[in-house]
Amino acid sequence: MRIGFALSLICLLSACGGAGNSSQTNEQSQTTVSDTARAPIEILYFYGKQRCTTCRAIEQAVVELTKNELREAIASGQVHYRAVDWTHETALAERYEVAWSSLIIDCNGEITNLTEQAFAYARQQPDKLKEEVMKVCNGCKRY
């Protein structure tokens, strides 16, 4: 069963990371954060030129989370969210070792990669994905 899931994930990730039509992301969900003014928690959703249904579902779940459960933390500057086209922001992608759609949480330098959970839960169990993100955020010492 794990092998089947792993193979499905690999196929999905290669489809999401390939070249294709550029899609637009929600402009309101993007926040530019310089390295010198980083929030204690940065939630980074990396996407590529070609985005599958699951990729869009990941972004939708995280955007909903930032507008609801994390709204006050975002407003106070404790948490920043960015949707990043890794094909254009290569330095940031290299920093987080990203080469396809990914969900990364940087808690003041402590990196948590939730990509596997994001692909597993975004479409069928978005609340479970939100729980996973909140678990990491709540575990951050400065949040």
Side-chain angles (χ1 to χ4, degrees):
M1 177 138 187
R2 287 185 145 256
I3 293 173
F5 176 75
L7 289 174
S8 297
L9 186 61
I10 290 168
C11 291
L12 186 62
L13 291 175
S14 14
C16 295
N21 294 333
S22 180
S23 67
Q24 296 177 352
T25 186
N26 182 347
E27 291 294 325
Q28 294 175 340
S29 68
Q30 292 185 343
T31 305
T32 303
V33 182
S34 72
D35 284 339
T36 58
R38 291 177 49 203
I41 300 174
E42 289 187 272
I43 301 172
L44 301 135
Y45 165 65
F46 289 90
Y47 63 92
K49 291 178 181 180
Q50 185 174 338
R51 298 176 69 198
C52 65
T53 304
T54 304
C55 293
R56 287 195 240 16
I58 293 167
E59 182 176 28
Q60 180 180 348
V62 177
V63 167
E64 286 175 9
L65 185 67
T66 63
K67 289 182 178 181
N68 296 309
E69 291 90 337
L70 290 173
R71 183 181 61 230
E72 290 179 22
I74 296 271
S76 70
Q78 292 177 304
V79 175
H80 284 151
Y81 167 72
R82 286 183 71 183
V84 180
D85 182 341
W86 66 268
T87 64
H88 293 272
E89 294 195 45
T90 55
L92 192 61
E94 287 176 15
R95 175 177 169 186
Y96 290 103
E97 299 177 357
V98 168
W100 53 75
S101 294
S102 301
L103 182 59
I104 305 291
I105 300 177
D106 183 339
C107 178
N108 207 28
E110 185 177 322
I111 312 305
T112 302
N113 186 331
L114 289 179
T115 303
E116 185 175 331
Q117 294 88 335
F119 275 91
Y121 301 130
R123 289 183 61 199
Q124 302 297 320
Q125 298 175 297
D127 288 337
K128 180 74 173 158
L129 173 57
K130 293 174 188 178
E131 270 181 42
E132 294 293 322
V133 172
M134 287 303 296
K135 211 183 304 182
V136 175
C137 289
N138 288 332
C140 184
K141 296 174 185 164
R142 296 184 63 189
Y143 175 68

